[in-house]
Amino acid sequence: MAFSKMEVKIFTSSHGTEFHHFPQTLAQIFAENSFIQYPLIDAEPGRMFHATFFKKYKEDFEGIQNQDTPRISVIIIGDNNIRNEAFRGGFRILQMAGKLIELHKGTIHPLLFFGLMPSPITHCSTYQLAEYSDSRVEDLFKAAQKESQTNGKLFTFVRLSEFFEDEGSVMRDLFFEKDKIHLNQKGAQTLAQQILRFATQVAENYQKY
């Protein structure tokens, strides 16, 4: 059976804007393959993942929900929620992740959810909350994967911090700008590489069923 390449759309905050190297870097490293199309990017500086985002996401998702070609929705969580709202922000991330999972259930569209992006400027004060939030969201995804074979191929969680930290410490000089918040060109390249890597894996695994 022949498969069409899966669509990919990335939802993120300022890490995905041209001001922080991401679209340019993605274009440079994207390689044609049999599994995914070139990703679309929905990046909004200062984006918080709560009710406003979910409303926008739901409207976008309803526009593709009944199409025949599956779309991988990629969620990149910055640390805006916990940097600005602490525990309330962590709770809202968890709440939003649960709503996204419910939205995707029973559809053909995979959800690829990356955990919190570390921020060197606040890492010392937010590290434990970020770890806890990631763990709780990961539990939601594991539960969704176990529900059935169909749902299992739809839901993927990736701890994004693992690619930017060394033994729990953020590699500030290697991946981040002088503001200690945004990615530099090396950081944007790492982010783009991991998105393409896991999106391709999701599409490849999807086609095995």
Side-chain angles (χ1 to χ4, degrees), residues 82-105:
I82 61 173
R83 184 151 43 93
N84 293 306
E85 298 183 326
F87 287 100
R88 177 182 291 180
F91 174 76
R92 285 180 171 171
I93 290 172
L94 181 63
Q95 186 180 46
M96 185 271 297
K99 288 184 175 182
L100 292 179
I101 289 171
E102 290 301 316
L103 193 63
H104 279 256
K105 284 182 178 178

Side-chain angles (χ1 to χ4, degrees), residues 14-24 45 177 182-184:
S14 58
H15 290 299
T17 65
E18 63 182 7
F19 302 107
H20 302 298
H21 316 288
F22 184 76
Q24 309 92 302
E177 299 282 8
H182 297 105
L183 296 172
N184 59 23

Side-chain angles (χ1 to χ4, degrees), residues 34-50:
S34 302
F35 300 104
I36 62 172
Q37 301 178 26
Y38 186 81
L40 300 174
I41 303 171
D42 183 321
E44 181 181 310
R47 171 171 274 164
M48 303 273 281
F49 287 89
H50 46 45

Side-chain angles (χ1 to χ4, degrees), residues 13-160:
S13 57
S14 58
H15 290 299
T17 65
E18 63 182 7
F19 302 107
H20 302 298
H21 316 288
F22 184 76
Q24 309 92 302
T25 303
L26 184 68
Q28 290 171 0
I29 69 172
F30 179 79
E32 291 290 336
N33 63 56
S34 302
F35 300 104
I36 62 172
Q37 301 178 26
Y38 186 81
L40 300 174
I41 303 171
D42 183 321
E44 181 181 310
R47 171 171 274 164
M48 303 273 281
F49 287 89
H50 46 45
T52 303
F53 167 75
F54 182 75
K55 180 181 178 182
K56 179 180 179 180
Y57 182 90
K58 185 178 180 182
E59 291 173 353
D60 177 86
F61 187 76
E62 288 172 346
I64 59 98
Q65 191 169 1
N66 296 317
Q67 71 180 27
D68 294 330
T69 301
R71 186 187 81 181
I72 303 171
S73 293
V74 180
I75 309 296
I76 304 290
I77 299 290
D79 75 337
N80 291 322
N81 281 70
I82 61 173
R83 184 151 43 93
N84 293 306
E85 298 183 326
F87 287 100
R88 177 182 291 180
F91 174 76
R92 285 180 171 171
I93 290 172
L94 181 63
Q95 186 180 46
M96 185 271 297
K99 288 184 175 182
L100 292 179
I101 289 171
E102 290 301 316
L103 193 63
H104 279 256
K105 284 182 178 178
T107 74
I108 62 170
H109 305 295
L111 177 62
L112 173 56
F113 195 105
F114 285 84
L116 284 155
M117 169 72 74
S119 177
I121 199 168
T122 57
H123 187 67
C124 290
S125 58
T126 61
Y127 174 74
Q128 289 183 319
L129 180 56
E131 282 286 298
Y132 178 75
S133 298
D134 273 356
S135 295
R136 292 294 305 277
V137 172
E138 186 172 20
D139 288 343
L140 289 180
F141 273 75
K142 287 179 179 178
Q145 290 167 0
K146 290 178 180 178
E147 283 190 10
S148 72
Q149 261 193 339
T150 303
N151 282 337
K153 67 183 178 183
L154 291 180
F155 302 112
T156 303
F157 175 83
V158 179
R159 283 183 180 263
L160 189 58

Side-chain angles (χ1 to χ4, degrees), residues 169-187:
S169 297
V170 180
M171 291 181 276
R172 181 183 66 194
D173 296 331
L174 183 60
F175 293 122
F176 291 87
E177 299 282 8
K178 292 181 180 179
D179 65 5
K180 303 178 185 178
I181 296 175
H182 297 105
L183 296 172
N184 59 23
Q185 193 162 0
K186 176 68 174 177

